[in-house]
Every structure is written in structure tokens, then in C-alpha cells.
Amino acid sequence: MIRVLVWNEFKHEQESKKVASVYPNGIHSVIAEFLEKEKDIVVKTATLYDENCGITKELLDATDVLIWWGHAAHERVPDEVAKMVRDAVHEGMGMIFLHSAHHSKPFRLLMGTPCNLTWRESCDSEILWVIDPSHPITRGIDRYFKLDAEETYGEPFSVPNPDKVLLIGNYSGGEVFRSGLLYERGNGKIFYFQPGHETFPTFKIPAVQTIITNAVRFVAPSYRQVIPCPNVRKITDNMPYVI
Ligand code: ZN
């Protein structure tokens, strides 16, 4: 079983009637609900409002894939928590960053760059084009899918060059954006996925759910261990014969 932890800032849903009308129980609940339908996935949720903002070392040790949605309270996540998340990824934990988590502390730590982009809340529609149809994360998606309304994110996106670009978003306002990016950091795999503004029902859209579900399976660790830094003897020291 793949053990998923869905972490949500959960601020907008409690403070904005507009957002609460779309996600009355929080974005995390909607994501957990569709993932829980999968036979090979078990889901826990956590939010900024939980003790230690919902993240402990024990919990990360028992998490195969961490999904992160944050926007307006990135700074309220303690640096120590962000470092714990980074270290868990280096160890092998899979990680999916959604939408405005591009500015979250763990994402910036893992990228090492500002992760800035251009943006606009204007209800533009977006077409997400599949760049790599052979990839497991885009399985089940046609050449493209359309979101009737989404916050516009535009290039340049100041992240390191990804290992793969799986999706490119094209907005009715003209912008393009690399909307699905894959990275490896240490033993861990990272997927950044752009859709998911809080005022739109993006996480209820089947294509979005398919991509997140596929991504959970893809970034789930096959190997998880801290890569140590030991001072070691020559391997020939204890060998009777040297070839
Ligand atoms: Zn947004």
C-alpha cells in the first residue's frame, strides 16, 4: 500500500466564503476522497492548524508520498518542518507540490531557486497539453485537457531545469507555463503540478484527479534510505587476493 499524506494550508477555506463554497471541508478532503478510492493507496490528511503544523518526523517516516498545497501562509511553516520534509525527500519520500506550493518553504529548499512566476487572477481558461504521452503520470489523458477557469501562471518560472516536462499550460490570455515538472532530489522523486487555485473546483475535475493519482504511484519510493557520508577503508584492505 502507498501511504499518502495530504497536507493543506487550509486557511482560505476557513476565511473565505467563496472558497468554502467550493471546498467546504478543505482542499485536502477532496484530494483524500478521490485517492481513497484506489485500492493500493491509504490516505491521511494534515493542515497548518494541527499541532506542529501537522508534520512530525514519525509521520514523515510513515509516509510514502507527501502532497502539499499552500498559498497564503507559507511563512507560518517553521523552517525546521521544511527541513524535515526536504530531508525525507532526500531519503526517498515522494513529493507532489500543487499549484501555489511553488512558493512553499519545502519546494524552495528542494529547488534552491526563488521559484517565481508571473500570475493573474482573471478566470482565463487553460489548455494543458501533454508533452510526454508515454509517461506513467500522463496515462489516461488524451492530447490535452481543458480547465474552464484557472489562475494564470506564466513563464518565466524560476526553477532549475526539470528532469522532464510532462505538461505545458496554455491560457486564453496568451501565457504559457510548464505545468507538470519532474525532479529527483537524493533518492526522492518530486512532481510539481500547476492547476489548483482555491476558488475553482479544479481538484474535482477527473483529468486532474487522474494525473495526481498517477503521480502518487510514480513518485512513491522504491528505495528509502539516508545516503551517509562515511570515511571508509579501501575495499582491498581485507581481501586476501587483489586482481
Ligand atoms: Zn492560486
Side-chain angles (χ1 to χ4, degrees), residues 91 149 154 172 174 192 203 229 242:
E91 201 178 294
S172 52
Y192 172 77
F203 294 114
C229 191
V242 178

Side-chain angles (χ1 to χ4, degrees), residues 21-24 30 34 200-209:
S21 70
V22 184
Y23 296 109
V30 170
F34 70 76
F200 304 122
T202 305
F203 294 114
K204 299 177 182 176
I205 292 168
V208 170
Q209 296 182 354

Side-chain angles (χ1 to χ4, degrees), residues 149-161:
E150 184 50 72
E151 182 181 9
T152 298
Y153 276 10
E155 298 283 345
F157 186 16
S158 59
V159 287
N161 282 334

Side-chain angles (χ1 to χ4, degrees), residues 55-99:
I55 301 288
T56 62
K57 173 87 170 65
E58 293 68 33
L59 189 54
L60 292 180
D61 284 346
T63 297
D64 297 313
V65 178
L66 175 57
I67 298 177
W68 196 278
W69 195 103
H71 174 228
H74 295 313
E75 292 310 312
R76 284 171 58 187
V77 174
D79 289 347
E80 298 68 40
V81 168
K83 286 176 185 167
M84 253 196 297
V85 170
R86 174 200 62 191
D87 292 348
V89 172
H90 287 169
E91 201 178 294
M93 183 183 75
M95 186 98 206
I96 299 171
F97 289 97
L98 298 171
H99 188 57

Side-chain angles (χ1 to χ4, degrees), residues 130 137-145 167 206-208 210-211 214:
V130 174
I137 291 182
T138 54
R139 192 169 293 154
I141 306 294
D142 205 347
R143 290 172 63 217
Y144 64 88
F145 64 95
L167 297 150
V208 170
T210 297
I211 286 177
N214 289 345

Side-chain angles (χ1 to χ4, degrees), residues 169-210:
N170 167 215
Y171 297 86
S172 52
E175 278 84 354
V176 293
F177 189 73
R178 290 168 291 169
S179 296
L181 304 179
L182 268 178
Y183 293 92
E184 286 186 5
R185 290 291 184 269
N187 292 326
K189 296 190 191 81
I190 299 165
F191 181 57
Y192 172 77
F193 189 38
Q194 158 265 316
H197 188 63
E198 65 275 6
T199 57
F200 304 122
T202 305
F203 294 114
K204 299 177 182 176
I205 292 168
V208 170
Q209 296 182 354
T210 297

